[in-house]
Amino acid sequence: MPKPKILVARAIFPEVIARLEKHFEVDSNQADKLLGKPELIARLQGKVGVFTTGSERIDADVLAACPDLKICANMAVGYNNFDVAAMSAAGVLATNAPDVLTETTADFGFALLMATARRVTESEHYLRAGQWTKWSFDMFAGSDIHGSTLGIIGMGRIGQGIAKRGAHGFGMNVIYHNRSKLDASLEAACKARYVGKEELLRTADHVVLVVPYSAASHHTIGAAELALMKPTANLINIARGGIVDDAALAVALRERRIAAAGLDVFEGEPKVHPDLLTVPNVVLTPHIASATVPTRLAMANLASDNLIGYLEQNKPVTPLNAAELAAKNLAK
Ligand code: GLV
């Protein structure tokens, strides 16, 4: 019997392609050419599954043009590149890659917080530029991490990982804001206290954003929220571009209305707002929070597990809309 056909839309580990080839006829994009919508649609003809990363948008147009498609498996925990409602309506399963990246991403959130608060990259640029000629008492004086107040907006698994690092590792006073309050045992494990968003913004020394992107979370931090923050505070975004109004943030940084920011994600990435590139008090990284080899491999294998599990046994590992498909009896 011929193997079912799938598309791997971006370059991934060769060993993962080899694994998928045992189960499927794989059209892979190891050249890593970014596929625009027409190219994606063309490559998806006759394919029952697609392995996506956050850069491929799966919407009603793509679904209408690709009637053979049964599953889209994202190699990311975030899935704002998927129109899940349109996928459910079309009977297409959506899966993401949660859990396997939690600790790695929490590590990076902390790395970015520390680099930002202690001005690590700014001072390195100064040194590399040959500007370091003498010691001075206030050279690159930043803000303390130990004993300070850490405010986390979005207290899912990654937010909790950051809270634990802050509370247990650095003796930070941890406050958080979330759609819902955590139960008491989780709050105790994280040593974290629930507060309103305004209180968090007014009192935190370091505000870390870990909320999923949606229309509701668009510009969670804009000019009004930045104005509430302490002038000594730092803002860290490891969530998604669009959670922060990058133009408003660049103004706040330039005018020193907050001390500094650390950003791993950007509105319209890989483009970065030009004003962010000209302010010194921001640490900029290219969406690498989950980027360690073991974690990226685990994410790629989880996306593959979903493709194999669903297409061979109707058993996806981390489905997003299985209940919707089952309720409507829509699964293809
Ligand atoms: C990365 O941003 C992810 O959502 O996994």
Side-chain angles (χ1 to χ4, degrees):
M1 230 181 44
K3 290 178 185 164
K5 295 184 184 167
I6 66 161
L7 171 69
V8 179
R10 293 291 307 277
I12 57 161
F13 299 91
E15 60 264 47
V16 174
I17 299 280
R19 179 179 172 217
L20 288 166
E21 278 172 342
K22 293 193 180 123
H23 302 265
F24 307 114
E25 187 180 318
V26 179
D27 174 9
S28 64
N29 179 14
Q30 288 301 78
D32 211 29
K33 184 174 175 301
L34 287 180
L35 304 176
K37 190 183 273 192
E39 293 158 306
L40 182 64
I41 289 174
R43 293 280 286 263
L44 280 175
Q45 295 312 300
K47 311 283 167 42
V48 291
V50 59
F51 180 122
T52 51
T53 66
S55 38
E56 293 74 45
R57 172 104 188 118
I58 304 290
D59 59 13
D61 296 339
V62 172
L63 295 162
C66 305
D68 298 314
L69 201 58
K70 295 181 180 170
I71 170 172
C72 302
N74 222 26
M75 182 189 152
V77 63
Y79 49 90
N80 52 309
N81 56 316
F82 285 176
D83 181 339
V84 179
M87 291 170 77
S88 297
V92 173
L93 187 77
T95 66
N96 69 338
D99 303 324
V100 290
L101 79 184
T102 300
E103 298 304 327
T104 294
T105 304
D107 283 348
F108 186 82
F110 231 87
L112 197 51
L113 188 162
M114 295 184 76
T116 302
R118 298 302 309 274
R119 305 176 65 178
V120 172
T121 54
E122 192 187 351
S123 60
E124 186 189 347
H125 290 146
Y126 170 91
L127 181 152
R128 283 181 188 270
Q131 292 173 287
W132 186 29
T133 53
K134 62 180 189 325
W135 179 91
S136 65
F137 75 98
D138 61 349
M139 187 168 68
F140 295 106
S143 27
D144 270 326
I145 294 154
H146 71 276
S148 65
T149 296
L150 171 61
I152 301 173
I153 301 186
M155 199 62 157
R157 289 162 290 218
I158 297 169
Q160 291 170 37
I162 293 170
K164 285 179 190 154
R165 283 160 176 75
H168 300 293
F170 289 84
M172 296 171 96
N173 163 39
V174 182
I175 54 179
Y176 75 96
H177 184 69
N178 198 41
R179 261 178 315 190
S180 48
K181 197 170 172 312
L182 298 186
D183 68 36
S185 64
L186 281 179
E187 282 192 345
C190 297
K191 285 197 172 172
R193 182 169 62 85
Y194 181 87
V195 294
K197 182 176 161 190
E198 185 170 333
E199 182 182 341
L200 185 145
L201 291 169
R202 284 189 191 283
T203 55
D205 297 306
H206 310 282
V207 174
V208 180
L209 303 169
V210 211
V211 276
Y213 182 80
S214 68
S217 64
H218 183 72
H219 287 186
T220 295
I221 302 293
E225 289 75 18
L226 289 162
L228 294 175
M229 289 174 63
K230 300 200 247 188
T232 50
N234 299 303
L235 177 71
I236 309 299
N237 185 10
I238 57 162
R240 272 290 181 275
I243 303 282
V244 174
D245 177 344
D246 286 348
L249 175 60
V251 172
L253 290 168
R254 173 163 296 119
E255 296 179 358
R256 304 276 168 174
R257 284 194 240 138
I258 66 169
L263 307 174
D264 187 47
V265 286
F266 304 88
E267 286 188 287
E269 65 185 53
K271 291 204 182 94
V272 174
H273 193 292
D275 294 351
L276 287 172
L277 297 172
T278 60
V279 284
N281 48 342
V282 60
V283 179
L284 306 167
T285 53
H287 203 147
I288 56 167
S290 66
T292 66
V293 172
T295 292
R296 286 281 166 87
L297 191 55
M299 292 165 74
N301 272 318
L302 181 50
S304 305
D305 292 342
N306 276 306
L307 287 162
I308 297 164
Y310 187 58
L311 292 171
E312 291 191 345
Q313 295 171 4
N314 198 22
K315 281 193 186 137
V317 188
T318 49
L320 294 164
N321 59 345
E324 286 81 350
L325 296 194
K328 295 184 194 156
N329 199 18
L330 265 176
K332 284 183 184 167

